[in-house]
Amino acid sequence: MILFENVCKTYLIGGEEVRALDHANLHIQKGEFVSIIGPSGSGKSTLMNIMGCLDIPDSGSYLLDGRSVGSLSEKELTGIRSRKIGFVFQDFNLISKMTAEENVGLPLVYQGFKQAAIKRYAAEALEHVNLTSRKTHRPAQLSGGQQQRVAIARALVTKPILFLADEPTGNLDSKTGSEIMDLFHQLHEQGNTIVLITHDQSVAMQAKRRITISDGRVEEDSL
């Protein structure tokens, strides 16, 4: 499903070139649960941005579900992001004035779904993460763990081919973080492909496969 071949990405920072990805190679099969681990500045955020079609490589190739991302237009990239990738972020990225139900349904609004369908699919996604009773609550009325569950439901609602989670337990206490990881395990058991970006070794170890990145290079790919 995911294939990186000699992917390079360089940024100009303070007049100096920084190679965020240096001939990165990796292959992730459909249905895998993979963690990508590395310290701050290792290149994992750049890897995630390219994997999530938020950025494109300077050189090399990235194939997602058999399509070369580098050759796609911005409109096509936007379509892939909204339909094929479910994003889960460390900071939840919920809209404060919207209820949980409205936050979950937002991707479907952008896709032009009718209101009745949006409410139905949002309700199904919230039920999946055991938050039906909180559907009318706004983010400020929810705990951190509940907010992350809403974020996961929002990722679920479009039925993506890939869940891309960036430090999903980073703002949570250990008990709540463990509950969120249990939810990712459930999603994986249901056949979903999950890529989890983290700097936490204990979180990374829960994946079925771990990829280590350092100084822009994929240094280890182990079972």
Side-chain angles (χ1 to χ4, degrees):
M1 172 180 284
I2 292 172
L3 180 63
F4 275 59
E5 291 187 332
N6 292 315
V7 169
C8 295
K9 187 70 181 182
T10 301
Y11 297 103
L12 191 63
I13 301 176
E16 181 180 346
E17 282 194 353
V18 176
R19 179 158 283 190
L21 289 179
D22 188 3
H23 297 91
N25 293 283
L26 63 89
H27 186 202
I28 297 173
Q29 304 270 11
K30 182 179 180 181
E32 279 198 279
F33 184 2
V34 176
S35 63
I36 296 175
I37 185 166
S40 178
S42 62
K44 63 183 187 298
S45 293
T46 301
L47 189 68
M48 186 206 74
N49 286 340
I50 292 176
M51 198 176 290
C53 298
L54 297 166
D55 203 351
I56 58 175
D58 293 332
S59 62
S61 65
Y62 168 37
L63 272 66
L64 174 63
D65 203 25
R67 297 186 72 185
S68 176
V69 170
S71 63
L72 301 179
S73 67
E74 183 55 43
K75 182 178 181 180
E76 288 172 317
L77 289 172
T78 300
I80 288 175
R81 288 194 298 268
S82 65
R83 291 176 174 84
K84 290 195 171 187
I85 303 173
F87 293 94
V88 181
F89 297 100
Q90 177 177 349
D91 296 324
F92 320 134
N93 286 8
L94 302 177
I95 296 176
S96 61
K97 293 182 179 180
M98 288 186 168
T99 65
E101 183 180 55
E102 290 167 341
N103 268 287
V104 171
L106 195 57
L108 301 180
V109 173
Y110 292 143
Q111 291 184 29
F113 279 68
K114 292 183 178 180
Q115 191 59 37
I118 292 170
K119 287 183 72 69
R120 183 170 74 253
Y121 292 132
E124 290 174 0
L126 283 168
E127 183 178 6
H128 200 103
V129 299
N130 298 316
L131 273 185
T132 300
S133 63
R134 297 289 188 270
K135 69 178 183 178
T136 60
H137 289 59
R138 289 177 170 79
Q141 299 171 305
L142 301 171
S143 68
Q146 288 171 338
Q147 289 185 63
Q148 192 60 291
R149 285 177 179 271
V150 172
I152 292 171
R154 181 183 56 194
L156 267 170
V157 78
T158 59
K159 297 179 172 59
I161 63 169
L162 169 66
F163 286 91
L164 194 53
D166 183 19
E167 302 282 4
T169 63
N171 282 341
L172 306 174
D173 60 63
S174 57
K175 179 178 182 295
T176 307
S178 179
E179 292 171 354
I180 293 299
M181 288 305 299
D182 286 344
L183 188 51
F184 279 116
H185 285 297
Q186 291 172 26
L187 290 172
H188 176 239
E189 287 167 4
Q190 290 160 11
N192 293 291
T193 306
I194 299 170
V195 177
L196 190 151
I197 314 292
T198 185
H199 70 279
D200 188 331
Q201 189 69 239
S202 64
V203 171
M205 291 291 287
Q206 296 189 50
K208 300 299 182 184
R209 187 157 66 98
R210 294 169 297 282
I211 295 171
T212 300
I213 184 169
S214 179
D215 297 326
R217 288 182 172 271
V218 176
E219 295 191 330
E220 180 182 342
D221 190 349
S222 58
L223 291 173

